[in-house]
């Protein structure tokens, strides 16, 4: 997300993000992005947009409704994705259509992460006007793979015997990963380092350990 927005020259606090999927992954992603400055976001589940007062919300979704969808948008994913800058999918295959991508803002960014079949395939999204697409698959550009994060996050936390893994540590990890793509290398098909890059984990560990110290959760 950091590098994709950098490439299209948009700021996280100004963009509108729409998600499909409001389970553990979707909620964790949005909470972290909010801590990074995200302000305009609408989460969708199988019944459509999540908003304050909607019937049938569980406790977690009620909490998310308090801090998201400030404009109280209602309707289906197709309704609320109109004009969005970014789509994040952690849900079901093929739930995003080319028409939905066409309705998004200029230089749209999509992260359809459902595996093995994403919410929309990159070639379809690009043909419909998407600027940048990342998936969870290794056979497409911009594979978003958690192996870039978790070894370094845990190594850094363990190295300082951190009492918690807090947002400061997660944000430090995100920037450490993002910084592996230089300005010279940054392009629509290369916004994140390869999952096979062995240099990422040590860099993430160092950044996480430092963030733990600065935020007061390091014990050594």
């Amino acid at each position: 997300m950091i590098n994709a927005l950098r490439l299209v020259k948009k700021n996280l606090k100004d963009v509108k993000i729409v998600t499909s999927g409001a389970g553990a992954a979707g909620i964790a992603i949005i909470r972290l992005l909010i801590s990074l400055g995200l302000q305009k976001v609408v989460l969708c589940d199988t019944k459509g947009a999540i908003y304050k007062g909607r019937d049938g919300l569980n406790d977690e979704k009620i909490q998310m409704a308090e801090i998201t969808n400030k404009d109280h948008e209602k309707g289906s994913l197709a309704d609320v994705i109109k004009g969005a800058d970014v789509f994040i999918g952690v849900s079901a295959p093929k739930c995003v259509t080319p028409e939905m991508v066409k309705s998004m803002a200029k230089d749209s960014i999509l992260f359809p992460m459902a595996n093995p079949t994403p919410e929309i395939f990159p070639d379809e999204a690009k043909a419909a006007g998407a600027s940048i697409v990342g998936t969870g698959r290794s056979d497409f550009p911009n594979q978003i793979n958690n192996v870039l994060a978790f070894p370094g996050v845990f190594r850094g936390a363990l190295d300082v015997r951190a009492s918690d893994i807090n947002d400061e540590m997660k944000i430090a990890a995100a920037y450490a990963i993002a910084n592996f793509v230089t300005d010279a290398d940054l392009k629509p098909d290369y916004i994140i380092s390869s999952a096979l890059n062995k240099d990422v984990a040590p860099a993430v560990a160092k950044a996480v350990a430092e963030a733990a110290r600065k935020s007061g959760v390091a014990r050594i």
Side-chain angles (χ1 to χ4, degrees), residues 116-158:
T117 305
E119 285 80 359
I120 186 170
F121 279 97
D123 55 343
E124 293 179 296
K126 287 286 188 76
S131 178
I132 300 168
V133 184
T135 70
R137 291 175 52 141
S138 60
D139 54 341
F140 292 117
N142 299 327
Q143 184 195 19
I144 315 300
N145 192 321
N146 64 4
V147 75
L148 285 170
F150 71 79
V153 170
F154 289 130
R155 180 72 272 165
L158 290 168

XYZ file of all heavy atoms in Angstrom, residues 116-158:
314
model
N -7.008 -19.728 -4.209
C -6.150 -19.466 -5.377
C -6.804 -18.584 -6.423
O -6.135 -18.115 -7.334
C -5.913 -20.860 -5.941
C -7.174 -21.597 -5.613
C -7.604 -21.082 -4.259
N -8.108 -18.346 -6.323
C -8.800 -17.512 -7.305
C -9.125 -16.169 -6.676
O -9.935 -16.101 -5.745
C -10.101 -18.194 -7.785
O -9.805 -19.500 -8.281
C -10.749 -17.374 -8.883
N -8.511 -15.101 -7.136
C -8.734 -13.784 -6.525
C -10.108 -13.215 -6.835
O -10.840 -13.724 -7.694
C -7.627 -12.928 -7.141
C -7.321 -13.584 -8.447
C -7.531 -15.056 -8.233
N -10.440 -12.153 -6.155
C -11.716 -11.467 -6.376
C -11.848 -11.012 -7.838
O -12.941 -10.962 -8.384
C -11.848 -10.273 -5.435
C -12.152 -10.611 -3.992
C -10.924 -11.045 -3.182
O -9.810 -11.112 -3.748
O -11.081 -11.319 -1.983
N -10.736 -10.650 -8.437
C -10.658 -10.366 -9.868
C -9.217 -10.633 -10.290
O -8.280 -10.340 -9.537
C -11.083 -8.916 -10.214
C -11.117 -8.711 -11.736
C -10.206 -7.898 -9.527
C -11.768 -7.389 -12.158
N -9.037 -11.192 -11.462
C -7.684 -11.470 -11.935
C -7.016 -10.180 -12.415
O -7.692 -9.272 -12.934
C -7.700 -12.510 -13.057
C -7.805 -13.921 -12.565
C -9.030 -14.573 -12.524
C -6.677 -14.595 -12.119
C -9.127 -15.872 -12.053
C -6.764 -15.896 -11.653
C -7.988 -16.549 -11.614
N -5.695 -10.086 -12.258
C -4.991 -8.852 -12.621
C -5.215 -8.396 -14.059
O -5.377 -7.191 -14.298
C -3.517 -9.216 -12.382
C -3.555 -10.253 -11.322
C -4.792 -11.053 -11.612
N -5.234 -9.327 -15.014
C -5.407 -8.915 -16.405
C -6.782 -8.281 -16.627
O -6.916 -7.296 -17.363
C -5.183 -10.089 -17.359
C -6.069 -11.298 -17.058
O -6.620 -11.375 -15.951
O -6.199 -12.166 -17.947
N -7.798 -8.814 -15.965
C -9.143 -8.236 -16.070
C -9.185 -6.844 -15.442
O -9.784 -5.914 -15.995
C -10.161 -9.126 -15.377
C -10.406 -10.472 -16.016
C -11.425 -11.276 -15.237
O -11.157 -11.618 -14.070
O -12.506 -11.546 -15.802
N -8.564 -6.725 -14.258
C -8.560 -5.438 -13.559
C -7.800 -4.382 -14.356
O -8.247 -3.237 -14.481
C -7.950 -5.605 -12.170
N -6.656 -4.768 -14.900
C -5.858 -3.835 -15.697
C -6.620 -3.409 -16.954
O -6.618 -2.227 -17.325
C -4.526 -4.481 -16.075
C -3.517 -4.627 -14.937
C -2.919 -3.291 -14.584
C -1.765 -3.403 -13.603
N -0.545 -3.882 -14.232
N -7.270 -4.356 -17.601
C -8.034 -4.040 -18.810
C -9.183 -3.087 -18.520
O -9.595 -2.309 -19.378
C -8.563 -5.321 -19.446
N -9.681 -3.130 -17.282
C -10.793 -2.266 -16.884
C -10.319 -0.906 -16.378
O -11.144 -0.067 -16.013
C -11.629 -2.957 -15.820
N -8.994 -0.715 -16.333
C -8.471 0.593 -15.961
C -7.659 0.669 -14.689
O -7.191 1.749 -14.314
N -7.476 -0.442 -13.983
C -6.682 -0.428 -12.754
C -5.244 -0.049 -13.054
O -4.664 -0.476 -14.063
C -6.738 -1.783 -12.067
N -4.656 0.734 -12.177
C -3.268 1.162 -12.354
C -2.296 0.135 -11.776
O -1.279 -0.185 -12.390
C -3.051 2.514 -11.675
O -1.713 2.932 -11.785
N -2.624 -0.389 -10.593
C -1.736 -1.325 -9.889
C -2.581 -2.443 -9.302
O -3.641 -2.184 -8.712
C -0.967 -0.613 -8.756
C -0.103 0.527 -9.323
C -0.093 -1.601 -7.982
C 0.455 1.440 -8.263
N -2.104 -3.682 -9.461
C -2.810 -4.836 -8.899
C -1.803 -5.747 -8.211
O -0.755 -6.086 -8.780
C -3.560 -5.632 -9.990
C -4.371 -6.769 -9.341
C -4.475 -4.737 -10.802
N -2.110 -6.141 -6.985
C -1.316 -7.135 -6.277
C -2.215 -8.260 -5.822
O -3.389 -8.030 -5.486
N -1.708 -9.477 -5.833
C -2.487 -10.635 -5.385
C -1.659 -11.457 -4.403
O -0.520 -11.110 -4.101
C -2.881 -11.541 -6.570
O -1.703 -12.198 -7.064
C -3.536 -10.755 -7.690
N -2.229 -12.560 -3.955
C -1.494 -13.466 -3.087
C -0.758 -14.547 -3.853
O -0.114 -15.406 -3.242
N -0.844 -14.513 -5.167
C -0.301 -15.584 -5.992
C 1.119 -15.292 -6.456
O 1.475 -14.150 -6.732
C -1.218 -15.812 -7.202
C -2.555 -16.410 -6.809
C -3.502 -16.533 -7.971
N -2.939 -17.225 -9.128
C -3.607 -18.076 -9.893
N -4.865 -18.369 -9.599
N -3.051 -18.630 -10.934
N 1.903 -16.350 -6.579
C 3.298 -16.199 -6.996
C 3.462 -16.132 -8.508
O 4.550 -15.807 -8.998
C 4.129 -17.369 -6.452
O 3.639 -18.603 -6.949
N 2.411 -16.419 -9.259
C 2.515 -16.411 -10.726
C 2.046 -15.093 -11.336
O 1.926 -14.984 -12.558
C 1.736 -17.582 -11.340
C 0.280 -17.646 -10.895
O -0.056 -17.031 -9.867
O -0.505 -18.330 -11.570
N 1.783 -14.084 -10.497
C 1.467 -12.740 -10.972
C 2.422 -11.749 -10.315
O 2.977 -12.034 -9.247
C 0.035 -12.349 -10.619
C -1.031 -13.130 -11.340
C -1.920 -13.934 -10.640
C -1.160 -13.046 -12.721
C -2.905 -14.648 -11.301
C -2.138 -13.762 -13.391
C -3.011 -14.573 -12.688
N 2.628 -10.589 -10.936
C 3.461 -9.560 -10.282
C 2.849 -9.116 -8.962
O 1.653 -9.283 -8.724
C 3.451 -8.415 -11.300
C 3.087 -9.035 -12.607
C 2.168 -10.167 -12.279
N 3.687 -8.550 -8.111
C 3.242 -7.979 -6.835
C 2.579 -9.001 -5.924
O 1.470 -8.797 -5.424
C 2.281 -6.803 -7.077
C 2.923 -5.672 -7.844
O 4.120 -5.413 -7.712
N 2.151 -4.987 -8.668
N 3.268 -10.127 -5.703
C 2.733 -11.095 -4.751
C 2.860 -10.536 -3.333
O 3.945 -10.164 -2.886
C 3.473 -12.431 -4.810
C 2.855 -13.471 -3.873
C 3.737 -14.688 -3.619
O 4.939 -14.643 -3.848
N 3.146 -15.754 -3.144
N 1.732 -10.455 -2.643
C 1.719 -10.010 -1.255
C 1.782 -11.256 -0.379
O 0.802 -11.980 -0.232
C 0.447 -9.200 -0.928
C 0.138 -8.174 -2.020
C 0.576 -8.533 0.428
C 1.214 -7.159 -2.267
N 2.950 -11.516 0.177
C 3.196 -12.762 0.899
C 3.634 -12.441 2.322
O 4.596 -11.694 2.526
C 4.290 -13.562 0.170
C 4.415 -14.990 0.676
O 4.305 -15.242 1.873
N 4.654 -15.918 -0.230
N 2.939 -13.016 3.306
C 3.264 -12.684 4.696
C 4.630 -13.189 5.143
O 5.113 -12.809 6.203
C 2.169 -13.156 5.658
C 2.004 -14.664 5.690
O 2.752 -15.411 5.056
N 1.007 -15.123 6.427
N 5.284 -14.001 4.316
C 6.631 -14.453 4.655
C 7.613 -13.274 4.652
O 8.695 -13.360 5.248
C 7.102 -15.571 3.692
C 7.474 -15.014 2.327
C 8.278 -16.350 4.274
N 7.246 -12.180 4.004
C 8.088 -10.980 4.045
C 8.015 -10.296 5.407
O 8.882 -9.506 5.757
C 7.660 -9.992 2.956
C 8.059 -10.341 1.525
C 7.360 -9.409 0.539
C 9.569 -10.270 1.343
N 6.977 -10.590 6.167
C 6.765 -9.895 7.435
C 7.065 -10.736 8.667
O 7.861 -10.338 9.518
C 5.327 -9.375 7.503
N 6.415 -11.913 8.762
C 6.401 -12.562 10.081
C 7.766 -13.031 10.596
O 8.010 -12.945 11.810
C 5.365 -13.687 10.157
C 5.661 -14.929 9.374
C 6.541 -15.878 9.852
C 5.029 -15.166 8.156
C 6.800 -17.044 9.141
C 5.284 -16.325 7.441
C 6.177 -17.261 7.923
N 8.699 -13.516 9.765
C 9.980 -13.931 10.371
C 10.698 -12.762 11.039
O 11.206 -12.878 12.156
C 10.780 -14.473 9.177
C 9.763 -14.771 8.126
C 8.691 -13.759 8.308
N 10.714 -11.608 10.357
C 11.385 -10.436 10.909
C 10.653 -9.845 12.097
O 11.279 -9.398 13.058
N 9.319 -9.842 12.043
C 8.537 -9.300 13.161
C 8.809 -10.102 14.432
O 9.095 -9.540 15.499
C 7.032 -9.296 12.830
C 6.208 -8.967 14.075
C 6.730 -8.290 11.723
N 8.749 -11.417 14.314
C 8.982 -12.250 15.498
C 10.436 -12.202 15.950
O 10.717 -12.157 17.155
C 8.563 -13.695 15.223
C 7.071 -13.876 15.135
C 6.503 -14.538 14.067
C 6.235 -13.379 16.113
C 5.129 -14.701 13.972
C 4.852 -13.536 16.035
C 4.301 -14.194 14.959
N 11.376 -12.166 15.008
C 12.798 -12.091 15.364
C 13.081 -10.796 16.131
O 13.760 -10.801 17.158
C 13.640 -12.150 14.100
C 15.163 -12.072 14.292
C 15.736 -13.349 14.889
N 15.710 -13.338 16.339
C 15.885 -14.421 17.089
N 16.058 -15.609 16.520
N 15.870 -14.341 18.403
N 12.551 -9.690 15.600
C 12.765 -8.406 16.260
C 12.146 -8.359 17.642
O 12.741 -7.836 18.595
N 10.933 -8.909 17.771
C 10.253 -8.923 19.067
C 11.013 -9.791 20.073
O 11.185 -9.411 21.240
C 8.829 -9.427 18.906
N 11.479 -10.928 19.621
C 12.211 -11.833 20.508
C 13.574 -11.268 20.906
O 14.023 -11.446 22.041
C 12.384 -13.201 19.844
C 11.107 -14.033 19.690
C 11.356 -15.217 18.766
C 10.605 -14.509 21.044
